[in-house]
């Protein structure tokens, strides 16, 4: 499995592959690997046919709206519903893939099969988040180390959406009287989005629990 872990590009994160059952419960880890400075990674999977979850945690990324490196303190993940032994698969692990994973988990709890739940979740988040193919797209980094020419491609649109999450987090931090890029970040807001979607609706609540970033409530309009 090759791919990219991105909020901005997340370097030195640990990416781990787990087999999962029909309810998306994880088994023992198959393998793990670090992300490179550009957020890319490569994982080798032992002989296995079935569903996988690939999870990224830790590392740092450039917080677009603040201009400082920020630690990733919430898991990002993606579900591969039908991995085949020996196959080569490319994925993009992002806040959007984590929200899709949460929507799929909610659908399974209501009786959907894993494959149907994952497919429906991706249709939903792709349409909701810019009409983009988020499973495979590699978002443009809006904090490049060198000047670069950018066109308004789908990759750039994806980069703008991820930067928008960063800007929303900065606004929430400042409203809460907190320093941007510390306890409220694009990563923590992305994690709140995944928590929000676990009940099947982006409404600002994780079940009966209202979600906060600093003192600001996450709402149905946040994402």
């Amino acid at each position: 499995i090759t791919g990219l872990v991105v909020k901005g590009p997340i370097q030195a994160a640990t990416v781990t592959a787990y087999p999962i059952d029909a309810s998306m419960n994880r088994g023992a880890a198959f393998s793990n690997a670090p992300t490179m400075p550009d957020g890319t990674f490569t994982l080798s999977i032992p002989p296995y046919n079935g569903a996988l979850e690939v999870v990224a945690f830790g590392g740092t990324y450039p917080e677009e709206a603040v201009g400082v490196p920020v630690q990733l303190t919430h898991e990002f993940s993606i579900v591969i519903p039908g991995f085949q032994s020996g196959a080569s698969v490319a994925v993009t692990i992002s806040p959007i893939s984590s929200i899709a994973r949460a929507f799929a988990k909610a659908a399974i709890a209501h009786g959907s099969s894993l494959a149907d739940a994952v497919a429906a979740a991706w249709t939903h988040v792709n349409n909701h988040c810019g009409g983009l193919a988020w499973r495979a797209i590699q978002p443009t980094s809006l904090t490049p180390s060198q000047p670069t020419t950018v066109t308004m491609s789908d990759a750039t649109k994806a980069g703008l959406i991820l930067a928008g999450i960063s800007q929303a987090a900065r606004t929430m931090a400042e409203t809460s009287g907190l320093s941007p890029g510390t306890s409220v970040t694009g990563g923590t807001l992305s994690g709140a989005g995944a928590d929000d979607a676990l009940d099947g609706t982006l409404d600002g609540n994780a079940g009966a629990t209202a979600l906060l970033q600093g003192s600001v409530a996450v709402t149905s309009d946040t994402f």
Side-chain angles (χ1 to χ4, degrees), residues 37-123:
D38 62 356
T40 59
F41 68 91
T42 301
L43 277 176
S44 294
I45 306 299
Y48 171 77
N49 296 319
L52 289 173
E53 184 175 8
V54 186
V55 181
F57 181 75
T60 60
Y61 68 92
E63 185 78 314
E64 298 97 330
V66 187
V68 298
V70 170
Q71 288 190 321
L72 181 64
T73 57
H74 198 289
E75 287 185 350
F76 288 170
S77 69
I78 192 168
V79 172
I80 302 171
F83 183 80
Q84 295 295 311
S85 185
S88 295
V89 179
V91 297
T92 296
I93 302 174
S94 70
I96 311 305
S97 71
S98 299
I99 291 172
R101 181 258 182 205
F103 273 130
K105 181 83 171 175
I108 289 169
H110 287 87
S112 291
S113 70
L114 186 147
D116 287 348
V118 171
W122 276 112
T123 296

Side-chain angles (χ1 to χ4, degrees), residues 32 53 77 98 102 108 125-127 129 140 156 206 211:
N32 61 69
E53 184 175 8
S77 69
S98 299
I108 289 169
V125 299
N126 285 345
N127 289 334
C129 300
T140 299
T156 301
L211 293 165

